[in-house]
Amino acid sequence: MATGSDTRELAGYRALVTGGTQGIGAAVAARLREAGATVLTTARKRPDALASDRLFVAADVATAEGCAAVASAVMEQLGGIDIVVHVVGGSSAPGGGFAVLDEGEWHRALSQNLFPAVRLDRALLPKMLEQGAGVIVHITSIQRQLPLPESTIAYAAAKAALSNYSKGLSKEVSPKGVRVVRVSPGWVETDGAVGLIEEIARENSTDYEGARKIVMASLGGIPLGRPAKPREVADLVAFLASPRAASITGTEYVIDGGTVPTA
């Protein structure tokens, strides 16, 4: 797979990356820029570390109003759109299984992991269809098929819904020139994940590597022996968004080091 130093194959492309200021999102935004794309990112507020010249819109895409603000910013700052990468998502639900997930937790899971993609696609797809070209990448999760019921069952269900929605959307718009694909990460060693591992290490009186093994064991093991890196996920996204993937649509690419035990 080509790296940013090898090609500027996305020069002239306009991209939106939601959740593009940290973790996988930041890696994806950086990778698309390396390939030449003009990239607009979103988050609830501008991080202090974000360069002042970076295109950015502060909005909460878990709300309809936030999605509308992002869609308007895309038109105002980019003048159109060629690539949309939906990274934003996550879970802050408490542990304890289904019984502790009240109505609010379920709505929160859907608002964070499904509705942003639905709303922004609805707003931005008409421009892609008008130009007869575009790529939408939905970041799902292996939890859509490997749910962890202790605390993330609502998140897993929302990601499963996102995956199903993505497949349905691809059938409708691919004949009109817009490709829709999914990327399904397993455990990715983001900065946030590093903090979690360090906390687990303290709680279990072990070192970082020992805590890493605890997390991998909770997933049923990772045959590759390590989590993925954000850059590795970003490289996959950049390939799928590029002209080299022109015949790929409606499918899901798993990047989990072999965590999911079935084909």
Side-chain angles (χ1 to χ4, degrees):
M1 188 176 294
T3 65
S5 61
D6 299 324
T7 178
R8 299 275 293 174
E9 64 185 345
L10 297 181
Y13 285 72
R14 301 156 298 180
L16 168 68
V17 180
T18 67
T21 62
Q22 59 184 351
I24 293 173
V28 169
R31 182 64 181 81
L32 295 181
R33 289 189 189 103
E34 286 178 13
T38 300
V39 182
L40 174 69
T41 59
T42 73
R44 284 189 289 268
K45 63 179 182 178
R46 177 184 280 271
D48 294 337
L50 188 68
S52 60
D53 63 338
R54 294 300 190 200
L55 292 169
F56 175 81
V57 56
D60 182 1
V61 294
T63 68
E65 296 78 12
C67 288
V70 171
S72 294
V74 166
M75 294 301 115
E76 292 170 6
Q77 299 186 44
L78 299 181
I81 192 69
D82 303 295
I83 300 166
V84 179
V85 186
H86 295 286
V87 182
V88 73
S91 174
S92 57
F98 82 95
V100 302
L101 298 178
D102 60 17
E103 199 78 4
E105 291 294 348
W106 277 98
H107 280 288
R108 193 170 297 112
L110 292 168
S111 294
Q112 291 178 339
N113 298 285
L114 174 63
F115 292 147
V118 172
R119 289 167 175 151
L120 284 168
D121 289 348
R122 189 168 59 218
L124 298 175
L125 256 171
K127 289 295 182 182
M128 290 182 166
L129 295 172
E130 186 179 302
Q131 64 198 21
V135 182
I136 296 174
V137 182
H138 296 117
I139 304 298
T140 61
S141 168
I142 62 169
Q143 287 201 46
R144 74 168 185 83
Q145 62 190 118
L146 190 70
L148 301 175
E150 168 61 21
S151 62
T152 58
I153 192 169
Y155 165 82
K159 287 295 190 180
L162 176 62
S163 180
N164 187 276
Y165 156 74
S166 182
K167 178 62 175 179
L169 186 67
S170 74
K171 291 183 175 182
E172 179 180 357
V173 302
S174 293
K176 302 172 184 178
V178 179
R179 296 190 294 111
V180 183
V181 293
R182 291 158 282 160
V183 170
S184 180
W187 179 30
V188 181
E189 201 166 18
T190 61
D191 289 343
V194 169
L196 174 63
I197 298 166
E198 290 172 345
E199 181 180 341
I200 291 172
R202 288 191 296 270
E203 291 175 351
N204 290 271
S205 300
T206 186
D207 59 10
Y208 187 87
E209 189 57 35
R212 236 172 163 227
K213 291 178 180 178
I214 290 172
V215 174
M216 287 191 285
S218 74
L219 297 170
I222 299 179
L224 194 62
R226 64 168 180 84
K229 302 293 185 182
R231 174 67 184 216
E232 293 169 332
V233 180
D235 281 340
L236 176 57
V237 170
F239 165 70
L240 292 172
S242 77
R244 288 177 292 140
S247 64
I248 297 175
T249 191
T251 193
E252 189 156 17
Y253 282 77
V254 176
I255 178 166
D256 71 344
T259 304
V260 176
T262 56

